[in-house]
Amino acid sequence: VQNQVDEVIDVMQENITKVIERGERLDDLQDKSESLSDNATAFSNRAKQLRRQMWWRGCKMKAIIALVVVILLLVIIVPIVLKYHT
């Protein structure tokens, strides 16, 4: 009977050790998960900010192109109109 009790004690000690190790791994996994979540949130915020910056850059380029086209049209059309007007 004592041998069986000793075997049960050994098994229980191994089980307790495994449970403690599992708990440590779960804690590490939770820390990594929280870190990953924080990084994902930061990435998402930076992506939104970059998207806004690129949108404004696109708007500025379109405005500059439109202004250049208007100036070119004025340079071409105004002399022609003045020539035929006089």
Side-chain angles (χ1 to χ4, degrees):
V1 172
Q2 184 64 37
N3 286 338
Q4 289 178 342
V5 169
D6 289 341
E7 287 178 20
V8 169
I9 289 173
D10 289 340
V11 169
M12 291 305 295
Q13 286 175 344
E14 287 177 26
N15 288 342
I16 290 172
T17 302
K18 288 178 183 178
V19 167
I20 291 172
E21 289 173 357
R22 181 175 178 255
E24 290 171 355
R25 286 194 309 257
L26 287 175
D27 288 341
D28 290 343
L29 185 60
Q30 183 177 1
D31 291 342
K32 289 178 183 178
S33 175
E34 289 172 359
S35 175
L36 184 60
S37 177
D38 292 343
N39 289 338
T41 301
F43 177 81
S44 177
N45 290 338
R46 280 183 263 149
K48 288 176 187 177
Q49 186 179 33
L50 180 60
R51 188 180 308 124
R52 275 188 239 118
Q53 287 176 350
M54 295 306 290
W55 182 81
W56 276 112
R57 186 175 290 173
C59 287
K60 289 175 187 177
M61 283 301 277
K62 289 175 187 176
I64 290 170
I65 291 171
L67 184 62
V68 168
V69 168
V70 168
I71 290 171
L72 285 175
L73 287 175
L74 287 175
V75 167
I76 294 170
I77 294 174
V78 168
I80 294 172
V81 170
L82 289 177
K83 181 180 176 184
Y84 285 115
H85 190 275
T86 57

